[in-house]
């Protein structure tokens, strides 16, 4: 496979992700980690080894005391899925809603929003653990994807989507997002404790809403730069009666004088025709006209 073929395939993937390199990178990270986890599980089954170490390394533990000892899990949990369906649905939602968000936001903004949703979800998960005694671990990109979904729905609520549910229907983005959020809260996984899922997913929705309602206008929105208005040079005014008389008087003394014609032509050659004053232009035109008539 040549470099050109690889580049073509990469471009196709980016185009599938709404022409957003950020979405393509985020989806790729989630997919690679998922495949590595599947490979680790396969090797563990062949060797009868314990594969629970992957959870210790990647998942966010509920007790805040344990999370403090593994601070990197606040980042790794949001790109870790153990279920194929969990991975597929999260990535499809990310591509769908992230592509819409990319129409008005930069790749950098999408990446920051994904991280903000994941971090907020993880922090609220730990707060819920401290308040209500949540146990277990947290994994999955649902909170991060919900931040992207919420922001897209708030920014472009009237945008219509084509959805296939046995038949093709069109629905406004705000209703689709509300339905997806409700389904996520109703029973989607992500934490071994259901209440932990609610805390984490709520954090993602809050992060997306704060971005769309408060931060976007002042921090991230690419404001259109005002385009300078095209310069409109005033049309040259027609010579007045006095100007015509002055030209005529000048021509009475200069017509037929080759030095005057050479003088005007030299000025044009050095500085261009526009360097001539209105009176000199009229004078040149009159000399040219008389010269043409004198040759007939």
């Amino acid at each position: 496979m040549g470099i050109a073929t690889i580049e073509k395939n990469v471009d196709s993937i980016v185009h599938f992700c709404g022409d957003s390199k950020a979405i393509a990178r985020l989806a790729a990270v989630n997919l690679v980690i998922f495949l590595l986890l599947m490979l680790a599980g396969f090797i563990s089954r062949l060797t009868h080894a314990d594969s629970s170490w992957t959870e210790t390394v990647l998942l966010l533990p509920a007790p805040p005391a344990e999370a403090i000892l593994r601070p990197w899990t606040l980042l790794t949990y949001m790109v870790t899925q153990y279920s194929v369906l969990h991975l597929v649905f999260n990535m499809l939602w990310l591509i769908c809603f992230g592509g819409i968000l990319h129409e008005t936001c930069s790749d950098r903004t999408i990446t920051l929003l994904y991280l903000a949703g994941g971090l907020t979800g993880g922090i609220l998960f730990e707060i819920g653990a401290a308040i209500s005694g949540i146990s277990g671990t947290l994994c999955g990109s649902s909170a991060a994807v919900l931040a992207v979904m919420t922001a897209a729905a708030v920014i472009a609520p009237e945008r219509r989507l084509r959805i296939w549910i046995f038949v093709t229907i069109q629905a406004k983005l705000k209703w689709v997002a509300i339905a997806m959020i409700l389904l996520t809260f109703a029973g989607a996984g992500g934490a071994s404790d259901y209440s932990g899922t609610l805390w984490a997913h709520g954090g993602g929705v809050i992060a997306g809403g704060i971005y769309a309602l408060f931060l976007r206008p002042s921090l991230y929105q690419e404001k259109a730069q005002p385009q300078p208005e095209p310069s409109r040079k005033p049309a040259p005014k027609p010579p007045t009666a006095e100007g015509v008389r002055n030209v005529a008087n000048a021509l009475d003394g200069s017509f037929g004088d080759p030095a005057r014609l050479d003088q005007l032509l030299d000025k044009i050659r050095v500085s261009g025709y526009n360097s001539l004053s209105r009176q000199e232009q009229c004078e040149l035109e009159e000399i040219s006209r008389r010269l043409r008539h004198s040759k007939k």
Side-chain angles (χ1 to χ4, degrees):
M1 182 181 295
I3 296 178
T5 304
I6 295 175
E7 291 179 349
K8 184 178 180 180
N9 292 335
V10 171
D11 291 339
S12 299
I13 294 173
V14 172
H15 180 69
F16 178 75
C17 295
D19 293 323
S20 170
K21 294 182 179 179
I23 297 174
R25 285 193 292 264
L26 290 170
V29 170
N30 279 270
L31 178 60
V32 168
I33 291 180
F34 176 78
L35 294 177
L36 290 176
L37 287 174
M38 294 300 99
L39 179 61
F42 177 73
I43 295 175
S44 297
R45 285 192 295 271
L46 287 180
T47 59
H48 303 287
D50 184 11
S51 62
S52 61
W53 62 269
T54 58
E55 298 183 6
T56 303
V57 172
L58 297 173
L59 305 191
L60 180 64
E66 291 186 25
I68 292 175
L69 297 177
R70 290 184 276 165
W72 66 87
T73 57
L74 193 58
L75 292 174
T76 56
Y77 95 89
M78 70 178 75
V79 290
T80 304
Q81 273 94 191
Y82 279 86
S83 165
V84 175
L85 289 179
H86 201 191
L87 172 71
V88 170
F89 279 107
N90 277 336
M91 293 305 100
L92 286 179
W93 290 356
L94 175 64
I95 292 171
C96 176
F97 292 94
I100 294 172
L101 194 62
H102 186 250
E103 295 175 0
T104 56
C105 300
S106 65
D107 280 339
R108 176 177 177 271
T109 295
I110 293 175
T111 302
L112 291 175
L113 184 57
Y114 183 97
L115 293 173
L119 291 173
T120 305
I123 292 172
L124 286 187
F125 176 73
E126 295 299 333
I127 293 175
I131 294 175
S132 58
I134 297 172
S135 60
T137 55
L138 178 66
C139 73
S141 57
S142 297
V145 173
L146 281 172
V148 175
M149 181 188 301
T150 303
V154 174
I155 292 172
E158 303 301 318
R159 171 72 180 272
R160 290 190 173 273
L161 293 179
R162 294 174 61 87
I163 305 174
W164 189 87
I165 307 177
F166 301 110
V167 293
T168 302
I169 61 174
Q170 285 193 350
K172 292 183 179 181
L173 180 59
K174 59 184 178 182
W175 302 123
V176 176
I178 290 174
M180 294 298 100
I181 291 172
L182 291 178
L183 286 175
T184 302
F185 276 91
S192 51
D193 189 315
Y194 177 73
S195 59
T197 301
L198 296 180
W199 283 89
H201 291 177
V205 173
I206 291 172
I210 290 176
Y211 161 76
L213 294 175
F214 302 104
L215 298 182
R216 182 174 183 266
S218 59
L219 295 182
Y220 297 112
Q221 185 179 23
E222 285 81 14
K223 298 180 180 179
Q225 297 295 330
Q227 298 295 328
E229 295 184 359
S231 59
R232 298 178 180 177
K233 295 182 179 179
K237 297 181 180 180
T240 61
E242 181 181 359
V244 173
R245 287 195 297 271
N246 292 336
V247 172
N249 293 333
L251 289 175
D252 287 339
S254 62
F255 179 71
D257 185 1
R260 177 57 178 163
L261 183 59
D262 291 341
Q263 183 182 10
L264 293 174
L265 294 176
D266 288 340
K267 187 174 182 180
I268 294 174
R269 184 171 59 255
V270 174
S271 304
Y273 180 80
N274 291 333
S275 64
L276 296 179
S277 65
R278 183 60 181 167
Q279 179 175 331
E280 289 173 332
Q281 292 175 5
C282 293
E283 184 178 354
L284 181 61
E285 292 173 3
E286 183 64 21
I287 291 175
S288 300
R289 186 184 65 79
R290 293 193 182 186
L291 286 174
R292 287 195 299 270
H293 283 292
S294 65
K295 293 179 179 181
K296 292 182 179 180

